[in-house]
Amino acid sequence: MSASRGAARPLQTAPWLLLAFLGLPGIAVGGYLTYSRLADQATACGGIGQCELVQTSEYSAIAGVPVALLGLLYFAVISLLALARLRGAPG
């Protein structure tokens, strides 16, 4: 019975580890866009669009809070909750 329980553990932790890992790019992009917005710096776009237009539009903030900051906080919280779930997973 313990052998089946040991085999189930990686299957139980893999989704949480993946969720925590996938939050990292969201944290990086959200952090970069928040910094560029608050520091009034140009945003590197890589030739794929008009990033400055998006960053400075009236829709780039909700109640004065940059949407990029909300995204940063969202991905940070999701990653931290996934890591907390991994730490609290039954051994």
Side-chain angles (χ1 to χ4, degrees):
M1 186 160 171
S2 65
S4 65
R5 186 179 167 146
R9 179 151 170 77
L11 293 176
Q12 292 172 349
T13 60
W16 297 107
L17 187 60
L18 183 64
L19 184 60
F21 180 73
L22 289 176
L24 295 178
I27 292 170
V29 170
Y32 170 69
L33 291 175
T34 300
Y35 168 77
S36 69
R37 168 75 186 248
L38 297 178
D40 201 23
Q41 298 289 322
T43 306
C45 211
I48 58 172
Q50 298 175 335
C51 294
E52 287 303 313
L53 181 63
V54 173
Q55 279 283 85
T56 58
S57 78
E58 65 181 286
Y59 302 107
S60 66
I62 298 174
V65 178
V67 173
L69 178 60
L70 298 175
L72 169 64
L73 294 174
Y74 169 79
F75 283 107
V77 167
I78 292 298
S79 292
L80 289 173
L81 287 174
L83 290 175
R85 175 62 175 97
L86 283 172
R87 289 186 56 134

